[in-house]
Amino acid sequence: MTEAAAQSTDIRIILPVTSKQCSNEYVQGWRIFVILITLLLINAFSQIDRILPFILSEAIKSDLGLSDTEMGLLTGLAFAVCYSLLSLPLARASDRGSPRFVLVSCILLWSAMTALGGLAASFLLLGLTRFGVAFGEAGAVPAGHALIARRIPPEHRGLAIGLFAMGIPLGTMVGFAAGGAIGETVGWRTALVGAGAIGGLIALLTLLAAGPTPTLRRAAADGEPFLRSSRRLLASPAFRWLFIGAIFLGFAAAPFYAFSAPFLIRTHGFSTSQVGLAFGLLQGLMGIVGTLLGGRWFDRAVGSGTGRVLGPPAVLFLIASMTTSAALFAPVGWLSIALLVPGMLSFSFMLPWAFGAAHLVAGEGKQAQASSLVMIGSGLLGPALAPLIVGMVSDAVTAAQGSNGLGFGLLIVPIASVLTGVTLLIANRRIAPLLARR
């Protein structure tokens, strides 16, 4: 497909969706609140189950005798490959079927596998449970976005996506703070089993609160295979640059969350509970501010008619790259934590912009698919490779009698942040003229 043809495709698929085009009425009043609170809880507990091995990594390493490289595999490759590749078929099921069924099934699966992880006695068994957790969590975001697209009016989509995304920082905050304290008190195994049990209750709540969601007539009639449909989306220059930005985002975010806590513990002598409390609370606060501000700002950017829907997060990533670099070599612990804050904000602020822009380009009935492709971009290569690279660099520096091995390994975060910011600016230039013509 030529660039001109791709651009014409973009213009066709980003036309605004009206209520007449939607086969289901948008919900109003308290029903919006119920749906969004339920989705918020789903995303929060999804993140808790994902984040627990990060804050508990030192205890897991000691108990099972693992290296940093093996922990990089567990928190990176074992999760990322399954999570990313399965998100696309689960997104297709959400677009063409019932998002509620996808959500409930996925919650039950990842909760059960989280609990089984607490019983693992070896690297292999723990790795297999992480594959299972990734399988279940792969459907949460696409199905949640499909539910939002069918039930929430278009002028509030950015805020709704932001509220849904707020579950990530809330889950991170609880996972780091409570996970660290519980891990030190009763052990990492009990923490994982307890988190899995709570997930079963969330699945029941979802079944009751989400309500039946009939299939979109347009989506049901669209017989195009999802792989061909995905290639068509990626052929669009606007979406392709957004996808590349998502890839660099994964290389920045995955090692940031996987190794920031161990870095602060080893380099600055914090305890697990201290890091969990400080890092978790700050991440939660920045996440709440970032997702809400980002969602509201995105709605205003779309409503302004300028079409510039990626500039603000791009600038924030460029700023975060500088502060994160300084944080890795700060002389005192409190300064290092403070310098990590812009990075925390950049990741959460980005979420409504990335998914919202992807939905605009994809069009009605393909929002979950667009979300899935963004997730594949951010969740496959980066999370699979970046934590492993950090672990290998850390082990190599330590073997050479060097100090601050994790600090050197984590330099991949500011490098990837710069690339994310630059790529988003390019994507912004591609998307802006298309949206301006709406």
Side-chain angles (χ1 to χ4, degrees):
M1 179 182 292
T2 65
E3 181 169 313
Q7 289 179 339
S8 66
T9 301
D10 279 345
I11 296 172
R12 177 180 60 82
I13 63 179
I14 63 174
L15 291 175
V17 180
T18 66
S19 59
K20 293 181 179 179
Q21 290 173 292
C22 186
S23 60
N24 301 291
E25 295 182 357
Y26 298 128
V27 297
Q28 302 293 335
W30 66 270
R31 294 182 64 194
I32 294 179
F33 177 80
V34 170
I35 290 176
L36 291 181
I37 290 300
T38 302
L39 289 173
L40 173 65
L41 290 174
I42 292 170
N43 220 7
F45 277 89
S46 168
Q47 188 68 10
I48 289 172
D49 289 352
R50 186 184 313 179
I51 211 76
L52 278 177
F54 299 166
I55 189 62
L56 300 172
S57 62
E58 294 297 288
I60 295 173
K61 279 182 59 183
S62 176
D63 191 8
L64 300 182
L66 306 181
S67 67
D68 279 339
T69 300
E70 287 173 318
M71 286 305 300
L73 286 170
L74 283 176
T75 58
L77 184 62
F79 191 95
V81 173
C82 192
Y83 179 84
S84 300
L85 295 182
L86 286 171
S87 67
L88 195 55
L90 289 172
R92 185 69 162 184
S94 299
D95 275 335
R96 305 186 71 179
S98 169
R100 180 178 69 160
F101 176 79
V102 174
L103 277 172
V104 172
S105 300
C106 288
I107 295 168
L108 289 174
L109 176 59
W110 90 57
S111 299
M113 298 306 290
T114 297
L116 288 175
L119 306 177
S122 68
F123 168 78
L124 178 60
L125 292 177
L126 186 58
L128 290 175
T129 64
R130 298 311 294 171
F131 273 112
V133 172
F135 192 146
E137 293 190 0
V141 171
H145 286 173
L147 198 62
I148 289 173
R150 299 188 200 181
R151 296 304 198 190
I152 307 300
E155 62 270 18
H156 301 304
R157 295 273 173 82
L159 182 59
I161 293 173
L163 286 170
F164 179 40
M166 193 170 69
I168 294 178
L170 285 177
T172 301
M173 179 173 61
V174 174
F176 272 110
I182 294 173
E184 283 191 344
T185 303
V186 297
W188 67 272
R189 295 183 181 277
T190 302
L192 290 179
V193 172
I198 295 175
L201 299 177
I202 299 298
L204 178 61
L205 174 63
T206 304
L207 184 65
L208 297 175
T213 306
T215 303
L216 285 172
R217 288 194 296 268
R218 174 178 171 180
D222 183 6
E224 185 178 31
F226 69 87
L227 289 178
R228 184 183 303 169
S229 179
S230 299
R231 288 196 299 268
R232 187 185 300 276
L233 257 182
L234 290 171
S236 153
F239 195 93
R240 185 167 61 246
W241 279 105
L242 180 61
F243 181 78
I244 294 172
I247 293 175
F248 288 132
L249 172 63
F251 275 92
F256 183 91
Y257 290 115
F259 283 107
S260 288
F263 164 75
L264 293 170
I265 291 171
R266 297 183 201 177
T267 304
H268 297 291
F270 290 108
S271 68
T272 301
S273 58
Q274 287 174 328
V275 170
L277 183 62
F279 193 82
L281 288 177
L282 282 172
Q283 172 59 32
L285 178 61
M286 290 301 101
I288 293 170
V289 171
T291 51
L292 292 180
L293 179 62
R296 185 59 177 162
W297 199 337
F298 175 80
D299 282 334
R300 291 183 176 180
V302 173
S304 70
T306 64
R308 299 190 177 277
V309 293
L310 290 174
V315 172
L316 183 55
F317 268 103
L318 296 177
I319 295 173
S321 67
M322 295 182 286
T323 61
T324 303
S325 298
L328 299 177
F329 301 97
V332 292
W334 67 265
L335 180 59
S336 181
I337 293 176
L339 289 169
L340 291 174
V341 169
M344 302 176 190
L345 180 62
S346 67
F347 298 133
S348 59
F349 185 77
M350 173 66 178
L351 294 175
W353 298 82
F355 287 123
H359 293 176
L360 287 173
V361 175
E364 180 196 2
K366 295 183 179 180
Q367 290 93 342
Q369 183 178 7
S371 295
S372 174
L373 288 172
V374 171
M375 289 169 58
I376 290 174
S378 64
L380 182 57
L381 292 179
L385 298 178
L388 179 60
I389 293 172
V390 172
M392 292 175 66
V393 171
S394 175
D395 288 340
V397 172
T398 301
Q401 306 301 315
S403 61
N404 196 19
L406 272 181
F408 282 100
L410 282 169
L411 282 173
I412 192 175
V413 175
I415 294 172
S417 294
V418 170
L419 294 174
T420 302
V422 171
T423 307
L424 289 179
L425 289 175
I426 298 174
N428 191 51
R429 293 182 59 188
R430 296 286 189 176
I431 295 174
L434 301 177
L435 297 185
R437 300 187 199 125
R438 286 173 45 171

